[in-house]
Amino acid sequence: MLNKTASRSFYLNLWLGLVGLVVGIFAGFAVGISPALLLVAIVAVAGLIWFFASFEQAVIGLLILRSSLDLFSAQQLPAAFAIALNALTILYVLVALLTGKAVKIDKFWWFFALWIIFQSLWVILLPLGGLGMDASFLMSGVRVWLRYFSWLMVYLLVMQLKDNVPPEKIVSMLLLSLVAPISIALLQIFLPSSMLPSLLTSQGKAGSNVSGTLGFPNGLGIFLTMFIALVWWKLSISSKRLPWLLLLGLVSFVFVRTGYFTGLVAVLLLILFINSTKITPVRAIGVVLFCCAFLWMFASTEFGQQRLTEIYDTPLLNPNIDVSRSIILSYGDSNSFNWRIAHWTYLINAWSQFPILGYGLDTSPLLGIRDFNTGSGYAPHNDYIRFLVEQGVVGLTGFLCFLVGQGWYLVHLLRNSQSVNSRRNLCLILIALFVANIVSMLTSNIMDATTFFFYWWTLVAIAGWGNEYWRPNLATKSA
């Protein structure tokens, strides 16, 4: 036993010595290039020490911080954050392996990792000429793959909190991630643009819609869909309901001001799904009142009225408009539904040229409708068509298998959590969110919602912890 401990200590000291050597070399070069780089190195080392010295607090702090970063996308801060988080997670795992500490991984993580490896196929095939685009688009594909990989690392990092932090505490702390987006969104709602900093007006609004710190209204809408569900979860396990009801009202108010129409349907599905397992007169009345209030808030906005009117001028509800006419109308009527039909038609026509493996990751914006003024393309606004065009039939099949695997895993967790209400309610909420998302993927760019998935995989990792990690005394009430 003593020899084993000494061996671990030797490898840890060796690793620390190597890190110190690398830091010393970098610091020497940094001084020669720019004193500012030396400051960055010092801050990075200090952050690294803090990460290992206060691991649980550091991870929770990083989780909370993520919702504030998209406002600085032009400065590449979210990308830098993701790369740093990936590096920290890998470093933590390496140190744990060198010191003999257990690395906590569940079976679903391996399934997730298998899908990430599968995605790398399109990164490899692109420079080899196996796809519809050439190697000049490689960096775009690498960027998308790294985004997917960062979600896997978030899942792995959160799993390391197991045994150290109660799951209810982590989920509750995640609600602090609402502070920055909601605060900025309220400023965008109640203050004129002339009074807002340029950073908030350049990315903060699209017409009358707000985006908080998420950079785009739909991004904030997708993000708030999840947190409406989490507030509902807190409502289900708390004896004091009034504060959570007030927070639910505030989040819902900001949500409707994003103008995220698809999210409106998603939230209604979410609430109905969550409450479908236990119907009581009081609950039924509460759900009806909430849905009516939610619809009224959306319909009372100018954008909401416009969106509801647009539906009647699409093939969906108007028998006098077919797909061809919808495409023609999309050029002049500013109807986003007709625009989507036209965009999808062009994308599917492009897909027919490379149906098996597609064109490559992040190439779909180049294949559909493009902006006449800038020449830039648009995201597909349908994640199933995205995978079909970018990865062909093979990639779409893999994506659907990944979704089916997620659904099966969440149902499995729900069945195993019946004895602990707080865990069961969280699993039920995750299933409801999952159903809402696979529906929203029909008309939205859900897979582009990096911040949403950062928290989604955090919650899925936590829900996978066994019942013994959840405190039954907090689960005395079911919403």
Side-chain angles (χ1 to χ4, degrees):
M1 183 67 179
L2 184 60
N3 291 335
K4 188 175 181 179
T5 303
S7 178
R8 291 176 182 174
S9 178
F10 169 77
Y11 283 116
L12 179 59
N13 291 333
L14 177 62
W15 178 86
L16 291 175
L18 291 174
V19 171
L21 178 62
V22 172
V23 171
I25 294 173
F26 177 80
F29 279 110
V31 172
I33 298 174
S34 171
L37 291 178
L38 180 60
L39 178 62
V40 170
I42 293 173
V43 172
V45 171
L48 190 62
I49 293 173
W50 172 67
F51 178 79
F52 280 95
S54 305
F55 178 72
E56 292 81 10
Q57 294 86 344
V59 172
I60 294 174
L62 291 172
L63 294 176
I64 295 171
L65 177 63
R66 181 60 185 85
S67 64
S68 307
L69 301 182
D70 283 327
L71 200 61
F72 305 95
S73 294
Q75 291 76 30
Q76 301 297 315
L77 188 57
F81 179 87
I83 293 172
L85 189 71
N86 293 345
L88 284 173
T89 304
I90 294 172
L91 189 59
Y92 179 87
V93 170
L94 289 176
V95 172
L97 293 175
L98 287 173
T99 57
K101 186 177 180 180
V103 178
K104 304 176 184 68
I105 299 176
D106 58 19
K107 293 180 180 179
F108 182 79
W109 186 88
W110 291 109
F111 173 74
F112 192 1
L114 184 63
W115 185 73
I116 299 297
I117 295 172
F118 178 66
Q119 291 300 296
S120 66
L121 175 67
W122 280 266
V123 177
I124 296 171
L125 286 176
L126 190 61
L128 296 178
L131 305 177
M133 293 293 185
D134 56 37
S136 62
F137 298 92
L138 179 61
M139 290 311 299
S140 294
V142 171
R143 184 175 62 250
V144 172
W145 186 86
L146 285 175
R147 183 170 76 236
Y148 296 159
F149 181 74
S150 69
W151 300 344
L152 181 69
M153 291 297 99
V154 168
Y155 191 109
L156 180 60
L157 187 63
V158 172
M159 284 296 296
Q160 309 317 305
L161 298 178
K162 195 175 180 181
D163 295 320
N164 298 318
V165 185
E168 295 93 343
K169 180 180 179 180
I170 301 176
V171 179
S172 298
M173 292 293 289
L174 288 182
L175 291 171
L176 292 175
S177 302
L178 281 171
V179 174
I182 292 291
S183 300
I184 298 300
L186 290 174
L187 291 177
Q188 293 169 349
I189 292 172
F190 293 111
L191 292 180
S193 298
S194 59
M195 297 182 62
L196 294 172
S198 59
L199 184 65
L200 302 184
T201 55
S202 60
Q203 301 184 68
K205 289 191 177 186
S208 61
N209 306 326
V210 299
S211 65
T213 58
L214 274 292
F216 194 72
N218 280 7
L220 179 61
I222 296 169
F223 173 81
L224 292 182
T225 302
M226 169 180 288
F227 280 86
I228 287 174
L230 286 186
V231 175
W232 203 281
W233 176 79
K234 284 296 296 185
L235 198 60
S236 73
I237 64 171
S238 300
S239 57
K240 296 181 180 179
R241 291 176 172 261
L242 182 59
W244 300 111
L245 285 171
L246 293 175
L247 180 58
L248 183 63
L250 175 62
V251 176
S252 301
F253 169 72
V254 174
F255 176 87
V256 298
R257 293 302 299 267
T258 65
Y260 178 42
F261 182 79
T262 306
L264 176 68
V265 178
V267 169
L268 295 180
L269 283 174
L270 180 70
I271 300 304
L272 293 174
F273 194 97
I274 291 172
N275 290 276
S276 64
T277 58
K278 185 179 179 182
I279 301 296
T280 64
V282 174
R283 176 179 292 208
I285 293 172
V287 169
V288 170
L289 289 176
F290 177 79
C291 291
C292 289
F294 203 82
L295 287 170
W296 175 81
M297 283 192 293
F298 184 82
S300 64
T301 64
E302 180 181 351
F303 183 83
Q305 294 169 5
Q306 176 187 345
R307 297 287 277 179
L308 292 172
T309 302
E310 286 178 352
I311 301 178
Y312 293 99
D313 295 325
T314 67
L316 182 64
L317 296 179
N318 192 332
N320 297 319
I321 300 178
D322 57 15
V323 173
S324 299
R325 181 168 174 76
S326 178
I327 294 173
I328 295 172
L329 290 173
S330 69
Y331 288 100
D333 66 355
S334 69
N335 186 320
S336 64
F337 295 100
N338 286 330
W339 177 89
R340 279 175 167 80
I341 293 173
H343 192 43
W344 298 339
T345 300
Y346 291 131
L347 288 172
I348 291 175
N349 288 338
W351 160 75
S352 65
Q353 303 299 314
F354 294 90
I356 306 302
L357 293 172
Y359 288 83
L361 299 179
D362 201 33
T363 56
S364 54
L366 305 172
L367 302 169
I369 294 177
R370 307 187 75 166
D371 188 289
F372 290 111
N373 296 319
T374 65
S376 59
Y378 297 98
H381 290 72
N382 183 312
D383 284 323
Y384 304 107
I385 291 180
R386 175 203 301 272
F387 276 88
L388 182 65
V389 172
E390 296 183 357
Q391 303 183 24
V393 175
V394 174
L396 177 61
T397 302
F399 179 59
L400 294 177
C401 290
F402 183 55
L403 292 179
V404 171
Q406 285 185 62
W408 180 88
Y409 179 65
L410 293 173
V411 171
H412 171 73
L413 293 181
L414 178 64
R415 289 175 177 173
N416 291 339
S417 62
Q418 297 302 312
S419 61
V420 182
N421 285 346
S422 56
R423 185 187 180 208
R424 183 199 64 193
N425 289 347
L426 180 63
C427 292
L428 184 62
I429 282 172
L430 289 177
I431 293 174
L433 271 172
F434 176 75
V435 172
N437 281 335
I438 60 176
V439 172
S440 299
M441 284 179 180
L442 291 169
T443 57
S444 299
N445 303 305
I446 301 297
M447 292 299 289
D448 284 342
T450 303
T451 305
F452 167 85
F453 281 106
F454 187 93
Y455 294 100
W456 167 260
W457 292 117
T458 296
L459 293 173
V460 173
I462 294 171
W465 299 1
N467 289 339
E468 64 274 16
Y469 294 94
W470 293 75
R471 291 178 288 176
N473 58 311
L474 290 182
T476 59
K477 190 185 302 182
S478 177

